[in-house]
Amino acid sequence: MAFFADTEALYRILGGFFETLTTAEEGQLIHRVGGPVLFLYHRPEGRLLWSPLPPPGQRPAFRVAYGDDAAGEPPLLTFEQDADTAHRFWLGEIDLAQALARQQLRAIGPLSRAMKLLPHLDSVYPRYAAWVAGGGPA
Amino acid sequence: MRVRASVLADYGLLQEEELELDGPGPGEVAVRLSAAGVCHSDYHVFSGDLPLPTPMVLGHEGAGVVAAVGAGVATVRPGDPVVLSWLPSCGRCRFCLSGRPELCRVPATAAQHGTLPGGRTPFRRGVTREPVYQFSLTGAFAEVTVVPESGVVRLPPGTDLEVAALLGCSVLTGTGAVWRTAAVRPGESVAVFGSGGIGLNVLQGAQLVSAYPRIAIDVSQRRLAAAIEFGATHTVRADQDSVLDRILELTGGLGVDAAFEAIGRPETIAAAFNATCAGGRAVVIGVAPPNAEVGLNAFAFPSQEKTLTGCWYGQSSPARDIPALLRLHNAGSLRLRPLLSQRYGLGELERAFEAMLDGSVNRALIVFDP
Ligand SMILES: [Zn+2]
Ligand SMILES: [Zn+2]
């Protein structure tokens, strides 16, 4: 049974969580990535885009675009995965190297840019777990 | 203690720095490096193709002398000459117990984090004592490094440490791919895509087991000349000739029994697979970016029983295989000296990368002032 019942739930819960990151300390890391990051989801289908809002230091650090609205801007990095894999990733339960090797996660673009984010996600995972436990946006 | 090291501050940015090095903890060994080979994997981290945390001390193909040992270390003592192994296996997991220590998850996980198996890194820098990560549990581009006890292999006294350094990666990997992964038999045909540090050792490994023909493929005339020196019987300029046509011509239209990919690019991985005969095997040694994907003909797998496999660290057991390689070298069978074409100082790593990329060196070596 998929964690996200439908696209609406995916956008509300995961999209909503991304919205909280736009004003969080870690959100500033988008500027080190250096361009838009697109997430393509399957089962349910969905598409979320992080679009950086310069200059660095300003909050929100990026805008979250949903669905067709996320298709307008060419991404620097694209991550394609099942929505369930994404859910487990943000819980901190996915070994990135293994997920890439098994094609559970496809990454297109300069992966080294994403490495700027990874070491900082340890503090984000528990917040996602709490967000999910709290049922998403209030 | 304070040590000089070449630090990858960010992708594409190297700087020579003085770092603080913690002494060896229990089960760890401090090694003063004499020489360290420059490998394509180091370059892949430098360029960001192999994304690992920064700042990081690169270098994983090194030899030196034990400077100090931590509590409980039994196999080496200060003063022993050693070569570093970048895959210090645990000896207890199911991969280690089934004779595949190169697949041990303990060093694999630590390498991904740029640390020692316990999660700590021995290097720090600046007033903040910020941790500096360590490439593949080694960090050989530093005057002294700290590694797990299973990350060193003791050498006989008097061993030439410049030659020994190469045993820690390129020689072990190249020969192991032929002897263990592909298990090439006398009279079998081989093709080697890429005649850099690994490819040359694939060729001399194939020559030692009397494979024939031994076809070297590269885009550099200089590297193909080296390939002949190291045992190639035929060469193909990939930028001028049709590689597949030439290989088919040289093998009576069948393709080779074993093809080795020592570059790490999806196109050459596919080319190696396509160049094998029915029942043949293609071995990928080159390290592609972790998100790269390869397109292959699906029907060729069942209808031609082709094998596509990979080789990590020569499918080796360093404590067993490095001394054997050294004996082959001492007996005159394995040519290691001619692999060393150019020496560089610690601050010249970028120049060494350039020389490696343009094919002007077989193996660049970083040497340390005494
Ligand atoms: Zn190497
Ligand atoms: Zn193990």
Side-chain angles (χ1 to χ4, degrees), chain A residues 32 95-98 100-101 103 106-109 111-113 115-116 119, chain B residues 10-11 47-49 51-54 105 109 112 133 289-293:
Chain A
R32 297 191 64 193
D95 176 335
L96 185 64
Q98 282 289 349
L100 287 167
Q103 298 188 320
R106 283 195 149 94
I108 303 159
L111 196 60
S112 58
R113 302 290 191 89
M115 287 305 289
K116 309 276 182 201
Chain B
D10 197 353
Y11 303 120
S47 69
D49 283 338
L52 289 172
T54 56
R105 298 317 299 166
T109 304
Q112 230 175 299
Y133 300 102
N291 56 336
E293 300 189 352

Side-chain angles (χ1 to χ4, degrees), chain B residues 39-42 60-61 86 169-170 173 198 363:
Chain B
C39 184
H40 251 97
S41 310
D42 298 304
H60 60 283
E61 184 182 80
W86 55 258
C169 184
S170 53
T173 302
I198 301 280
R363 201 60 160 177

